[in-house]
Amino acid sequence: MEQPEEPDRAAEEIAAERAVDPYRAPFDAMVRALAVQDPRFVRRVSVPRARRLGVGHLMLLAGLVSTLLVGVLPLAVGVHTGSVVLLVIGALGSTLLPAGAPLAVRIVLHRMRPLMR
């Protein structure tokens, strides 16, 4: 017995998203109009792929990595060795970097790609 071929689920999901999204058509029209004026514009506002890291993901990653490297690691070494300098650096890094690093990433990315949100 032959089994019937299943249609491509990814294509169906994309078609379903486009059918449900009321903002898709105006966005596409706006991008087409702006592409005529400035062809480089389309590259700056292209819709990110689902597998690509977004701004929020990069902000979380930067906050986590910077907190671990400049906060937790010096704090642990400072506690182990009794170094006051490392304790202060670790305490400040653990306190300030979880909020500061994501904001810095956001500022940098908005300057590089101003229309990306």
Side-chain angles (χ1 to χ4, degrees):
M1 278 191 179
E2 286 185 30
Q3 294 186 5
E5 292 182 20
E6 290 186 24
D8 188 17
R9 291 183 187 256
E12 286 180 0
E13 290 173 4
I14 292 171
E17 280 182 17
R18 288 184 180 171
V20 174
D21 190 7
Y23 301 104
R24 180 77 181 184
F27 178 77
D28 289 342
M30 181 175 53
V31 169
R32 277 193 302 274
L34 291 171
V36 171
Q37 295 173 2
D38 183 12
R40 293 178 298 164
F41 176 81
V42 177
R43 285 192 310 243
R44 291 193 309 258
V45 297
S46 59
V47 177
R49 297 179 186 143
R51 299 173 195 228
R52 199 169 138 193
L53 291 177
V55 174
H57 295 110
L58 292 174
M59 289 168 57
L60 287 171
L61 184 64
L64 177 67
V65 169
S66 64
T67 301
L68 288 175
L69 291 178
V70 185
V72 176
L73 187 64
L75 190 60
V77 172
V79 167
H80 181 67
T81 61
S83 174
V84 176
V85 173
L86 288 176
L87 285 171
V88 170
I89 290 172
L92 288 174
S94 296
T95 305
L96 300 176
L97 287 177
L103 292 175
V105 168
R106 182 178 181 191
I107 290 169
V108 168
L109 288 176
H110 280 289
R111 287 188 181 168
M112 289 173 55
R113 295 185 68 180
L115 296 174
M116 186 172 76
R117 297 205 186 269

